[in-house]
Amino acid sequence: MRKWLPLVAVCLGTFMLLVDVTIVTVALPDMARSLHTSFADLQWVMDVYALVLAALLLAAGSLGDRSGHRRVYTVGLVIFAGASLACGLATDPSVLIAFRAVQGVGGAAMLATTVALISHLYSGRDRGTAFGVWGAVNGAAAAAGPIMGGLLTQHLDWRWIFFVNLPISVVAIAMTLRYVGESSGEQRGRLDLTGLVTFTAAAALATYALIKGNDYGWGSTRTIGVFAGAAVALIAFVVTELVVRAPLLDLSLFRRGTFTGVMIGALLLSGAAFSYLAYESLWLQSVLGMGPVTAGLCFLPMSVAAFFTAALAGRFLEERVPAGLQIGLGLLLIGSGAAAQAMVDATSDWTVLVLGLATTGVGVGLSTPMLVSAAVNAVGYQRAGMASGAVNTARQLGNALGIAVLGVLFHSGLSNSAHDAGIGDLTDRLASGQSGAVLAQTAPERRAALDHLIHAAFASGLRSAVLAAAVMGAVGGIATLLLVRKPAAAQGAGAHGAGAQAAPPVRVEA
């Protein structure tokens, strides 16, 4: 059993950093009451972590190749633990948001090095087993996030969703230093700092413009200027990656249709499957009056369906169904599940979500485990690190942008309905989870009527968000079905990108 202790060390960090993507979802209403946050603040609490993860994953992987994967992983654990403590102690929304960003720095260092560590630690059959366990931990983290967040928030306090990381981090650090050997990868020149800065600026500015557009006005000079800045930064990133000697992301990989299709699928999957859950959590708690635990359990149909589908697909479909078909059908199911939740109206309760969440979970379980392996097989084993890093970057970026885009649509749908009902002045308070306080401050004889209007406004906002998620899932599914073909091993090493050679198909769970 001793040989599996290094895997435990790696999986502890992986579980912790992925749980923190979703654990805040059901704690948002309590955060809003405790810190008096705005709707934009709540979006940033969720978004900045995923945004920093996406921005730094490729750079952290490159740093691990140079400085040692264990060293970077351990430093990431230390940063993550310190930031978690600061998040739990925060008394101001801006402080919480800032240290959520620092959490993202630590999370990127961990996530970027886990695949390399497992590849170094194990070989042959043991390596396949290790990646299988690691993939299961990925799925378990997604399932556990809302439930853990609900339990900790309801029985202790929302701050414990961050404090719980401290003992886990201590154990993970101790086990890593004792049981995990050092390893390094190919060092291909200097770290691409220009690419890192321009990519981060493009993603951050686009997200900022989407989140603050409601406050500044979509046609305002400030909003248009921030979007323009994001476009300039994106162009600068592309130019940099084309000319730099050792780019963060070799853009020639996108000449391969399969790689492009997988990246589109990865980008849209997270937004279509997960980005609306925060707004459903606000509805469940602030409108339907559920506690954090009950609200977290409402998402269980998605988690259970994803877990069992991934397990069954890995056993029965891996060798029989092409990766493109499996990913594409999964995304179409994700889109269908989102569309099914659009039946919500002013009289709905939590059961209106069950069928859609379960369908989405089946799609997640079908498509997610194949993303990294399809990308690696498309470009060859020599680019496996870059391919897996690119897919994980796309997934986190999709989550960050999805939260921002769906937040715009949710707020717009809620606002329009509220204005039509004559309660437009309450929009910001409702969107930030203060429905209970609004009703408590209303005269008793008016509460029933106002409660109905609030239900209708929230239902309108949720319909806008989930219908947009449905479109994202459909577009991702169609793009994947059209673009993702047989692996590079079957095609041979074409002239589609320097250094990409044919290799046996690789399966890496993610």
Side-chain angles (χ1 to χ4, degrees), residues 70-146:
R70 187 186 76 158
R71 180 176 299 164
V72 171
Y73 178 74
T74 306
V75 170
L77 282 166
V78 173
I79 293 172
F80 193 89
S84 296
L85 175 62
C87 285
L89 296 174
T91 57
D92 180 81
S94 59
V95 174
L96 176 58
I97 292 166
F99 282 104
R100 278 285 282 172
V102 179
Q103 264 195 319
V105 176
M110 291 188 281
L111 186 57
T113 51
T114 52
V115 170
L117 284 171
I118 293 173
S119 297
H120 170 72
L121 291 165
Y122 301 100
S123 60
R125 185 181 298 272
D126 285 347
R127 180 179 292 177
T129 301
F131 274 121
V133 171
W134 182 75
V137 168
N138 276 253

Side-chain angles (χ1 to χ4, degrees), residues 256-497:
R256 297 170 179 260
T258 292
F259 183 80
T260 301
V262 171
M263 290 292 286
I264 293 172
L267 182 70
L268 294 177
L269 186 149
S270 293
F274 305 117
S275 295
Y276 56 79
L277 297 182
Y279 310 119
E280 290 186 343
S281 178
L282 286 173
W283 175 66
L284 291 168
Q285 295 184 67
S286 68
V287 178
L288 300 189
M290 289 184 174
V293 173
T294 310
L297 290 173
C298 286
F299 300 124
L300 200 59
M302 176 191 286
S303 303
V304 172
F307 181 82
F308 283 106
T309 301
L312 293 173
R315 181 172 181 180
F316 297 110
L317 300 182
E318 179 182 350
E319 302 298 334
R320 298 176 176 87
V321 179
L325 181 59
Q326 194 167 321
I327 297 169
L329 289 178
L331 279 159
L332 292 177
L333 285 170
I334 288 169
S336 299
Q341 295 172 73
M343 294 187 296
V344 62
D345 60 29
T347 63
S348 297
D349 61 14
W350 66 273
T351 57
V352 74
L353 305 179
V354 173
L355 176 62
L357 288 172
T359 303
T360 296
V362 173
V364 169
L366 195 63
S367 56
T368 302
M370 296 302 298
L371 286 170
V372 170
S373 57
V376 171
N377 291 336
V379 304
Y381 72 98
Q382 290 186 336
R383 300 293 181 90
M386 183 176 286
S388 61
V391 169
N392 284 323
T393 296
R395 288 177 60 186
Q396 297 303 328
L397 182 61
N399 190 38
L401 294 177
I403 289 170
V405 171
L406 298 190
V408 169
L409 297 172
F410 168 76
H411 191 279
S412 177
L414 189 155
S415 177
N416 290 338
S417 179
H419 276 90
D420 291 343
I423 57 171
D425 56 319
L426 299 177
T427 297
D428 289 337
R429 295 186 66 189
L430 298 179
S432 59
Q434 300 180 47
S435 299
V438 168
L439 288 172
Q441 296 165 6
T442 303
E445 65 273 12
R446 296 184 54 211
R447 284 179 189 167
L450 180 59
D451 187 45
H452 180 78
L453 295 177
I454 290 173
H455 276 72
F458 257 85
S460 177
L462 287 178
R463 282 196 301 271
S464 298
V466 296
L467 286 174
V471 172
M472 293 165 65
V475 171
I478 293 170
T480 304
L481 290 172
L482 291 176
L483 293 172
V484 177
R485 302 300 182 188
K486 55 187 177 180
Q491 297 172 349
H496 293 294

